[in-house]
C-alpha cells in the first residue's frame, strides 16, 4: 500500500482518558495542527459533544473534503459496528454507545473504529518495522520475507495487535491480540499486565529495594539503573529485567499461535536496553515435559533486531542452494525458523495514526 501518493483525507482521533487529540491525514502525513480537548470522560453527553466539536474544528481547517473518520479507542468494543463498550478510563461509555453510527450520521462519511493496539501493529506493518526488515532481508540476499506481525505496547497497560498476511486481524469478537490478560509467569494467579506496565516497574523497584513506597516514574527508575540518578541501582535493573521476563513469556505464548515478527511500542520502550535482552532470553529458553525433559520454548528462534550482531545473524539465516531432484535446477532454501523482535520505527502515536489512515483507505477501496 503506497500511502504517500494517496490524496484522500481521513480525520483521526487519539482518544485517551484525559484528553482527546483530533487531526487529519493525507498521503500518510498529518496535514493540520492537532486539536486538543479534555475528554470529559465521566459525562456522556459532554463527551460526545466534545468528539463532534473536535472533528468539526478539524474539518473547518481542511482545504478539501474528508472521505472518512478513522480512530482508535482503548478497550472493549464491537469495533465493526462502531459500538464502544465498558471502558475503565472512559466510564461515560458503560453500557454501550453507538459512537461510530452517531458520527456517520453527523458528518455523512464512513466511520471506522479499532483498538489502539491493533492500529499500532497495522501502522508498523504498513510503514514501519515490517517493510524495513523485509527490505534488509532482500538486500542481504535472503529468500525470507515476513507477512505477519505481532505488535505490543508497554505503558499504562499491555496492549497487543495482530497483522496476518498484511491484513489486520481483529477476531470474531474484536478481541484478537488481547495479550494483557494472558497468565502471568511471575505471579501465576494474576494476568500478565500486572507485570508488564508502568505500575509493575514501580512496584517491583520498591520490592527489590525493600521500600514501602517510592514516588518514582519509570524514567526515574531507568536513570537509577543507568547511574544517572541516585537510588538502588541493582533494584532498578532487576525491576526492568522482571518486566522483560514477563513480556518474553507472554510473547512466547502468543507466537506459538501467531508466527511472525514482533514490534514493541509504548512509553516503556525508552528503557529497552534494560529489558529487551531478557525478553529474547526468555523466548529462547526451555520448557519441561512431564518427564522432566527440556525442550525449546518455541518452534522458532528469537533475535533482538536492535542488537547489530543478532540482526546480522537474523538477516543471514542459513540460506543455501539445493538441487531439485530429477533436474539440473537449483533453488534457495533457508531452514532456519526465526522471528525478530524490534522497536517501533514510527513511534507509537504515529503508528496508530498511520494504521487508522491505512485501514480507512483499505475499507473504502474494498467497498468501491
Amino acid at each position: 500500500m503506497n500511502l504517500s501518493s494517496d490524496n484522500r483525507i481521513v480525520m483521526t482521533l487519539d482518544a485517551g482518558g484525559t484528553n482527546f487529540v483530533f487531526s487529519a491525514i493525507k498521503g500518510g502525513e498529518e496535514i493540520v495542527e492537532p486539536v486538543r480537548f479534555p475528554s470529559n470522560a465521566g459525562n456522556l453527553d459532554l463527551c460526545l459533544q466534545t468528539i463532534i466539536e473536535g472533528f468539526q474544528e478539524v474539518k473547518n481547517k481542511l482545504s478539501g473534503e474528508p472521505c472518512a473518520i478513522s480512530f482508535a479507542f482503548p478497550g472493549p468494543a464491537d469495533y465493526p459496528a462502531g459500538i464502544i463498550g465498558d471502558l475503565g478510563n472512559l466510564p461515560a461509555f458503560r453500557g454501550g454507545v453507538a459512537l461510530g453510527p452517531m458520527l456517520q450520521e453527523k458528518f455523512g462519511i464512513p466511520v471506522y473504529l479499532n483498538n489502539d493496539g491493533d492500529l499500532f501493529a497495522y501502522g508498523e506493518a504498513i510503514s514501519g518495522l515490517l517493510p524495513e526488515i523485509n527490505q534488509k532481508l532482500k538486500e542481504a540476499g535472503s529468500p525470507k520475507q515476513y507477512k505477519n506481525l505481532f505488535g505490543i505496547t508497554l505503558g499504562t497497560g499491555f496492549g497487543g495487535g495482530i497483522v496476518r498476511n498484511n491484513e489486520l486481524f481483529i477476531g470474531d469478537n474484536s478481541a484478537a491480540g488481547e495479550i494483557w490478560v494472558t497468565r502471568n509467569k511471575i505471579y501465576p494467579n494474576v494476568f500478565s499486565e500486572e507485570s508488564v506496565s508502568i505500575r509493575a516497574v514501580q512496584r517491583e523497584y520498591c520490592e527489590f529495594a525493600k521500600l514501602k513506597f517510592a514516588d518514582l516514574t519509570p524514567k526515574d527508575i531507568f536513570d537509577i539503573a543507568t547511574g544517572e540518578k541516585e537510588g538502588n541501582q541493582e533494584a532498578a535493573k532487576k525491576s526492568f529485567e522482571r518486566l522483560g521476563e514477563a513480556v518474553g513469556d507472554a510473547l512466547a505464548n502468543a507466537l506459538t499461535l501467531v508466527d511472525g515478527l514482533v514490534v514493541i511500542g509504548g512509553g516503556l520502550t525508552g528503557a529497552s536496553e534494560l529489558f529487551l535482552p531478557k525478553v529474547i532470553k526468555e523466548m529462547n529458553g526451555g520448557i519441561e515435559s512431564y518427564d522432566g525433559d527440556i525442550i525449546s520454548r518455541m518452534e522458532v528462534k528469537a533475535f533482538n533486531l536492535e542488537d547489530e550482531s543478532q540482526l546480522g545473524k537474523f538477516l543471514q539465516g542459513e540460506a543455501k542452494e539445493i538441487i531439485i531432484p530429477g533436474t539440473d535446477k537449483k533453488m534457495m532454501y533457508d531452514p532456519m525458523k526465526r522471528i525478530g523482535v524490534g522497536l517501533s520505527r514510527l513511534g507509537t502515536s504515529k503508528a496508530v495514526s498511520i494504521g487508522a489512515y491505512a485501514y480507512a483507505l483499505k475499507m473504502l477501496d474494498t467497498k468501491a
Side-chain angles (χ1 to χ4, degrees), residues 122 125-126 130 134 145-150 162-169 258-261 362:
Y122 197 46
I126 295 292
L130 186 66
N134 279 335
Q145 290 284 283
Y146 288 83
K147 297 180 180 179
N148 304 310
L149 181 73
F150 195 97
I162 300 169
V163 177
R164 177 185 174 277
N165 198 23
N166 297 313
E167 299 278 349
L168 185 60
F169 180 73
V258 181
D259 176 14
L261 295 179
K362 185 174 184 61

Side-chain angles (χ1 to χ4, degrees), residues 299-319:
E299 281 279 323
V300 299
K301 182 175 175 59
F303 288 83
N304 181 355
L305 300 179
E306 306 306 319
D307 180 286
E308 286 299 321
S309 175
Q310 289 195 40
L311 174 63
K313 293 176 182 177
F314 172 85
L315 295 176
Q316 182 179 3
E318 297 175 350

Side-chain angles (χ1 to χ4, degrees), residues 144 317-320 333-338:
K144 191 83 171 175
E318 297 175 350
K320 59 184 178 180
Y333 169 54
D334 189 341
M336 181 189 284
K337 293 183 179 182
R338 62 196 187 274

Side-chain angles (χ1 to χ4, degrees), residues 123-139:
E124 288 289 336
I126 295 292
S127 301
L129 182 77
L130 186 66
E132 177 186 301
I133 294 303
N134 279 335
Q135 181 61 32
K136 287 184 176 181
L137 284 164
K138 185 177 180 180
E139 291 170 355

Side-chain angles (χ1 to χ4, degrees), residues 32-325:
V32 299
E33 186 68 26
V35 174
R36 299 173 186 271
F37 286 143
S39 64
N40 299 302
N43 185 318
L44 180 60
D45 291 338
L46 190 54
C47 184
L48 295 178
Q49 187 59 38
T50 298
I51 293 174
I52 292 171
E53 290 178 2
F55 281 123
Q56 187 61 56
E57 188 164 330
V58 168
K59 186 178 180 182
N60 293 341
K61 291 183 175 186
L62 299 175
S63 58
E65 287 294 318
C67 65
I69 292 172
S70 184
F71 61 98
F73 252 71
D78 181 347
Y79 289 111
I83 300 173
I84 303 301
D86 295 351
L87 303 180
N89 60 348
L90 291 167
F93 285 84
R94 287 175 185 162
V97 177
L99 180 59
M102 180 199 77
L103 291 172
Q104 188 161 321
E105 287 288 329
K106 176 65 179 178
F107 291 96
I109 54 178
V111 177
Y112 304 106
L113 275 67
N114 278 288
N115 176 270
D116 50 358
D118 293 336
L119 291 181
F120 165 72
Y122 197 46
E124 288 289 336
I126 295 292
S127 301
L129 182 77
L130 186 66
E132 177 186 301
I133 294 303
N134 279 335
Q135 181 61 32
K136 287 184 176 181
L137 284 164
K138 185 177 180 180
E139 291 170 355
S142 172
K144 191 83 171 175
Q145 290 284 283
Y146 288 83
K147 297 180 180 179
N148 304 310
L149 181 73
F150 195 97
I152 60 170
T153 53
L154 312 180
T156 304
F158 184 21
I162 300 169
V163 177
R164 177 185 174 277
N165 198 23
N166 297 313
E167 299 278 349
L168 185 60
F169 180 73
I170 65 172
D172 289 328
N173 296 285
S174 303
E178 297 291 342
I179 194 171
W180 69 277
V181 79
T182 54
R183 189 174 296 278
N184 188 322
K185 179 193 175 184
I186 312 300
Y187 307 104
N189 291 325
V190 302
F191 52 91
S192 61
E193 186 179 272
E194 291 295 339
S195 288
V196 186
S197 56
I198 289 171
R199 65 185 180 277
V201 175
Q202 295 167 324
R203 184 190 65 244
E204 296 293 347
Y205 176 77
C206 288
E207 180 180 312
F208 286 124
K210 301 187 184 321
L211 299 172
K212 289 185 177 181
F213 174 77
D215 187 17
L216 298 170
T217 67
K219 177 62 166 64
D220 293 329
I221 298 170
F222 173 78
D223 288 341
I224 292 171
T226 56
E228 297 295 318
K229 188 180 180 75
E230 289 189 7
N232 190 320
Q233 188 174 33
E234 187 64 22
K237 288 180 179 178
K238 285 183 176 179
S239 68
F240 281 107
E241 289 174 355
R242 179 65 64 85
L243 171 81
E245 183 179 358
V247 170
D249 182 71
L251 282 176
N253 282 322
L255 292 169
T256 300
L257 303 176
V258 181
D259 176 14
L261 295 179
V262 176
V263 62
I264 303 176
L268 290 174
T269 53
S272 62
E273 65 187 79
L274 298 180
F275 68 77
L276 192 51
K278 191 70 174 181
V279 171
I280 301 301
K281 182 178 180 181
E282 183 68 24
M283 295 172 73
N284 287 331
I287 193 168
E288 288 190 30
S289 70
Y290 181 80
D291 296 325
D293 296 329
I294 303 297
I295 63 171
S296 296
R297 183 69 178 80
M298 300 190 302
E299 281 279 323
V300 299
K301 182 175 175 59
F303 288 83
N304 181 355
L305 300 179
E306 306 306 319
D307 180 286
E308 286 299 321
S309 175
Q310 289 195 40
L311 174 63
K313 293 176 182 177
F314 172 85
L315 295 176
Q316 182 179 3
E318 297 175 350
K320 59 184 178 180
E321 280 191 334
I322 60 172
I323 297 174
I324 301 174

